[in-house]
Amino acid sequence: MEIVLVQGDITGERVDAVVNAANSSLLGGGGVDGAIHRRGGPAILEECRALRASRYGRGLPTGQAVATTAGNLPARWVIHTVGPVWSADEDRSRLLRDCYANSLRVADELGATSVAFPLISAGVYRWPVEDAVRQALTVLRAAEPAGVAQARLVLFSPDALAAARTVAAGFATD
């Protein structure tokens, strides 16, 4: 699977599936979640409400992933995943890696060949950018999904992209 690092707005990515760094309610919020719901339109929220009414009455658990339509986005699907909040006292990196692994699994089940990921948990959940990139690349480089040919890690700022490139360069020498 090809891994591409880009800087930009994930809501404009032309891929089969866009991953949403959602909150557990699945009902929209700030950051990536809010942007995806705003640009994608009411169809995404409608499907999220249906998921809450059926399978996820208490919300989507951290690390899990579920798909909906992409509404007005230039993608076919949105894969919602809930990242962990950063903690200096508790290692939650397994949950962060689960977000990427479970999103890839869902993408594969959908038949997606291209997936765009935000840097999960690195915004309002305060995960340090370099480590968030390290966790993402650990999963993406080890993954062997049957149909996903390209995973894009869409970074929200030039500084985040520079940090991601530095971390990725370190992976190349490991």
Side-chain angles (χ1 to χ4, degrees), residues 24-62:
S24 64
S25 76
L26 295 175
L27 302 179
V32 170
D33 194 18
I36 285 174
H37 275 270
R38 280 189 302 278
R39 183 152 181 205
I44 296 171
L45 182 58
E46 183 179 317
E47 286 192 25
C48 285
R49 284 186 174 139
L51 286 166
R52 285 296 307 269
S54 61
R55 296 171 37 197
Y56 299 105
R58 294 181 180 215
L60 184 64
T62 301

Side-chain angles (χ1 to χ4, degrees), residues 65-126:
V66 65
T68 65
T69 181
N72 299 325
L73 296 173
R76 294 178 63 190
W77 302 284
V78 172
I79 299 171
H80 307 267
T81 190
V82 180
V85 174
W86 165 256
S87 171
D89 301 323
E90 180 184 351
D91 182 6
R92 299 176 180 168
S93 56
R94 181 191 57 78
L95 287 169
L96 183 54
R97 290 189 305 271
D98 284 350
C99 291
Y100 290 94
N102 287 322
S103 294
L104 276 175
R105 178 187 49 77
V106 169
D108 212 35
E109 290 170 357
L110 291 168
T113 60
S114 56
V115 182
F117 288 90
L119 192 54
I120 299 167
S121 290
V124 297
Y125 286 2
R126 303 178 323 274

